[in-house]
Amino acid sequence: MHQPAAGRGYTTWSWKAYRQAVEEIAAGLCGLGVGKGQIVAIDCETRAEFYFADLGVMACGAVSAALYTSFPPADLVAAIRGCGARVAFVENPGRLAALREAPVEQWILIKGEAEGAITLDELRALGRRAMEKDPTLIERITGAVAPCDPAILYFTSGATGEPKMALVSHASLLANLEMGPKVLPLGPEDRTVAFLPSAHVAQRLVIELLPMLGGMPVTFSESLLQLPHEIRKVRPTLLLAPPRMWERIYTTVCTEIRKRPAAVQKSFWAALALGLAAARYRRAGKSVPAYIRGPLKMADWVFFRKIRARFGGALRVPASGAAPLGRDLAEFYEAVGMPLVEGYGLTEGGIVVLNPLDNPRAGSIGKAMPGVELRIAPDGELLVKSPTLFAGYLNDPAASAEVLRDGWLHTGDVAYIDADGFVHITGRKKEVIISSTGKNIFPARIENLFKTEPLVSHVLLVGDRLPYLTALFTINHAVAGTINGMRKFNGSPEEAAAAPPVMAELRKAVERVNARLAPFEQVRRFRVLAREFSIEQGELTATLKVRRGRVLENFRAEIDELYR
């Protein structure tokens, strides 16, 4: 593992040093009286010390409960109180001060010092002394942990309701990890950059735990601002990112092209058309005709290789996870020679579906992982049976029984499986819009169509029990600034959102999307919001999925205006 060291290059840990840190923490926790099954909270950004603490907690038989560090302190205090953690790792004294109200008996500071807390170094020293005194200590501690014992407590994102706490056993974790090499072979020659929140199942499984099976090194990002530079420097072969990042890069490329002369713009879009045509031939299992291959080679040299160079030029597995990816966006990356590998997982089930690396299908989340059974219920809901399923929600048997029935996990996602076994998600059961005329509309499918409109940052459809669809938009202000006529509107975000050039451009975007929809699915009216959706206001999850219910609540006045 390699971690930025405050302007002094990188601090590096070997696998042996990694294991030693984990064992010392496990032994130290036992010395503090942390027993088997006790929940330990971790409030820490994704960094090497999180990995040490996470595995140290699991190694001593306790349950690791990682918190979403982007959430407001009051929410984190409530999470700690709700899960019953009496011991907590905290990143620094500032974070500790914000969380002091939580009923924690022992705080452990990862960096710095504070009254009433011990440091990570002190915890490791306590563990070292205990292991020196009893050389069989670690063997006895780990030997007492059974496969069915809980290992991780996940806090669900709350995208479609109130967050819950999901318990996952050691056996479920290992079952999921052992599927990995069959569909995602990784080795010491591979490398990745870790930046997603470690409280999320995708980061935890793919970037923290799976590398241990193949010996893949991990480099930690210093910050999201530094991430583009770090990716070019590390040159990852695997990069897992949420759709929001892939959308942003696409928007940046489009914005840069719009600033170029008309001839360059025309050449780029013609090149993209060639790439899309070639992708269609490959998906059909046909060879690309020579009249496309020749010009495409030139297009790749002039345009596409520069886009791939933003990722270091060595990317073998560009992976998208944590939220649905729009088909149009997937086809763009396929056209530029970097087909995204989309997968599907959920807190309650682990990662259960993945696109084949050699033949990812745009618009699909992939095929069932080895040992995973899939079924479509009569109402279209995707059901999963797998050894990776969770054990249930903490202290909530009723909610557990609702999603786990007869061994099948009811995902809440509406999907279909095509003739080749690829799974396609069409929406969420809880998010279906039923118009006043009785039409069922899945907003996620329509909202995904807006993801290739550079001006659109977020979109949320409204229309449940109402006569027609409307939309709330937030705009990408960097793109808005490039629109003709915007020079005199470059003041506040509120002014830009209401500017006539922005409204005119957005109307064109709505017309383009509406042309692809049935009449009852079309957006009739829309409103541009003066601010972005935010995590702080409860409108976004930590992985930037929109929490529909909270947005509807926070912008009720704007929605009422659309139906006046």
Side-chain angles (χ1 to χ4, degrees):
M1 295 191 295
H2 311 283
Q3 184 157 280
R8 294 180 287 106
Y10 286 90
T11 300
T12 295
W13 290 269
S14 66
W15 290 105
K16 186 176 180 180
Y18 186 173
R19 176 175 178 148
Q20 180 181 346
V22 169
E23 290 181 342
E24 288 174 357
I25 289 171
L29 288 171
C30 286
L32 294 177
V34 175
K36 182 178 172 180
Q38 184 173 338
I39 294 170
V40 176
I42 306 178
D43 179 68
C44 178
E45 301 292 344
T46 296
R47 49 190 288 118
E49 289 83 358
F50 177 93
Y51 283 29
F52 298 157
D54 192 37
L55 287 166
V57 170
M58 288 189 266
C60 80
V63 183
S64 178
L67 305 174
Y68 282 107
T69 57
S70 56
F71 282 7
D75 289 359
L76 300 182
V77 169
I80 293 172
R81 183 177 287 114
C83 72
R86 293 292 176 262
V87 175
F89 290 83
V90 191
E91 178 134 1
N92 54 45
R95 297 290 296 179
L96 175 59
L99 301 179
R100 279 286 194 186
E101 291 182 19
V104 170
E105 295 168 5
Q106 179 64 68
W107 297 98
I108 302 165
L109 272 177
I110 288 171
K111 292 187 295 183
E113 297 180 358
E115 187 178 347
I118 65 169
T119 67
L120 183 64
D121 287 342
E122 288 170 341
L123 178 69
R124 291 184 59 177
L126 176 65
R128 273 197 304 276
R129 290 193 295 272
M131 289 191 293
E132 288 166 1
K133 187 175 180 181
D134 180 1
T136 67
L137 177 62
I138 289 297
E139 186 178 344
R140 286 191 292 104
I141 292 171
T142 57
V145 181
C148 62
D149 289 338
I152 289 177
L153 181 73
Y154 286 115
F155 296 93
T156 65
S157 65
T160 57
E162 286 305 309
K164 297 183 178 68
M165 296 176 284
L167 284 166
V168 178
S169 70
H170 289 272
S172 293
L173 276 180
L174 285 172
N176 217 170
L177 295 174
E178 286 165 357
M179 295 173 183
K182 300 169 187 174
V183 293
L184 187 61
L186 301 172
E189 70 284 353
D190 288 299
R191 53 197 175 274
T192 192
V193 178
F195 65 95
L196 288 173
S198 282
H200 194 273
V201 62
Q203 160 66 27
R204 204 74 152 273
L205 286 167
V206 181
I207 307 299
E208 180 184 342
L209 300 177
L210 190 58
M212 290 192 288
L213 280 184
M216 181 181 73
V218 173
T219 298
F220 295 93
S221 173
E222 185 173 3
S223 69
L224 289 178
L225 287 175
Q226 293 293 321
L227 185 60
H229 167 72
E230 291 166 334
I231 288 172
R232 287 192 293 271
K233 182 177 180 181
V234 175
R235 303 181 72 239
T237 60
L238 164 69
L239 184 67
L240 174 65
R244 195 74 181 140
M245 192 187 96
W246 303 114
E247 291 165 19
R248 288 291 189 186
I249 292 161
Y250 166 82
T251 297
T252 300
V253 170
C254 291
T255 304
E256 290 173 1
I257 291 295
R258 286 179 62 165
K259 295 177 182 177
R260 307 294 291 277
V264 175
Q265 293 185 45
K266 187 175 180 180
S267 297
F268 175 78
W269 297 116
L272 190 61
L274 285 171
L276 291 168
R280 283 194 293 270
Y281 276 102
R282 292 191 207 97
R283 282 201 299 272
K286 300 176 182 177
S287 59
V288 180
Y291 72 86
I292 292 179
R293 278 201 315 273
L296 184 58
K297 190 173 183 181
M298 177 62 69
D300 189 81
W301 176 258
V302 175
F303 295 112
F304 301 158
R305 69 183 179 91
K306 296 174 184 176
I307 296 174
R308 297 195 298 272
R310 295 168 187 255
F311 303 92
L315 198 53
R316 183 170 68 86
V317 186
S320 179
L325 180 75
R327 181 190 180 108
D328 290 352
L329 197 66
E331 288 182 343
F332 167 81
Y333 282 101
E334 187 178 11
V336 303
M338 205 175 78
L340 297 183
V341 177
E342 188 172 6
Y344 172 83
L346 58 172
T347 306
E348 296 87 349
I351 297 173
V352 290
V353 179
L354 186 70
N355 262 286
L357 298 190
D358 58 350
N359 184 31
R361 183 164 297 184
S364 160
I365 55 171
K367 295 184 173 183
M369 298 268 277
V372 173
E373 295 179 59
L374 303 177
R375 193 165 77 185
I376 304 296
D379 62 356
E381 184 177 9
L382 178 65
L383 309 184
V384 178
K385 181 180 280 189
S386 168
T388 64
L389 300 187
F390 81 137
Y393 298 117
L394 180 68
N395 302 327
D396 198 342
S400 303
E402 185 180 344
V403 298
L404 279 176
R405 294 178 235 159
D406 299 322
W408 289 89
L409 175 67
H410 290 243
T411 65
D413 287 306
V414 179
Y416 70 90
I417 303 173
D418 66 23
D420 298 320
F422 285 88
V423 185
H424 302 256
I425 300 290
T426 58
R428 291 281 301 173
K429 279 181 66 174
K430 290 184 179 179
E431 292 180 351
V432 64
I433 290 174
I434 303 175
S435 69
S436 60
T437 58
K439 297 288 188 181
N440 283 14
I441 303 164
F442 289 103
R445 185 181 72 84
I446 300 169
E447 289 161 357
N448 273 337
L449 297 178
F450 283 100
K451 289 186 176 179
T452 51
E453 295 292 343
L455 180 59
V456 175
S457 179
H458 278 112
V459 56
L460 184 128
L461 295 191
V462 183
D464 197 41
R465 315 295 182 206
L466 293 164
Y468 54 85
L469 279 188
T470 61
L472 299 177
F473 288 104
T474 67
I475 60 169
N476 185 315
H477 288 276
V479 175
T482 67
I483 298 172
N484 289 336
M486 278 298 290
R487 284 180 180 269
K488 57 183 177 180
F489 297 105
N490 280 339
S492 66
E494 292 86 353
E495 185 183 11
V502 166
M503 298 300 290
E505 197 67 32
L506 205 47
R507 282 191 203 97
K508 294 176 186 176
V510 171
E511 287 170 5
R512 283 191 290 270
V513 170
N514 278 348
R516 302 170 64 180
L517 299 170
F520 68 88
E521 296 177 306
Q522 293 174 357
V523 175
R524 302 291 180 87
R525 301 183 70 188
F526 64 85
R527 177 73 180 263
V528 182
L529 302 177
R531 67 167 178 85
E532 264 288 6
F533 298 153
S534 73
I535 293 174
E536 292 72 23
Q537 297 290 336
E539 296 145 358
L540 297 177
T541 70
T543 52
L544 305 183
K545 287 183 282 192
V546 176
R547 297 183 70 189
R548 190 173 299 275
R550 185 60 64 85
V551 172
L552 296 176
E553 179 184 319
N554 289 359
F555 294 98
R556 176 51 57 193
E558 289 82 354
I559 292 168
D560 289 345
E561 185 70 30
L562 286 170
Y563 288 94
R564 237 167 232 174

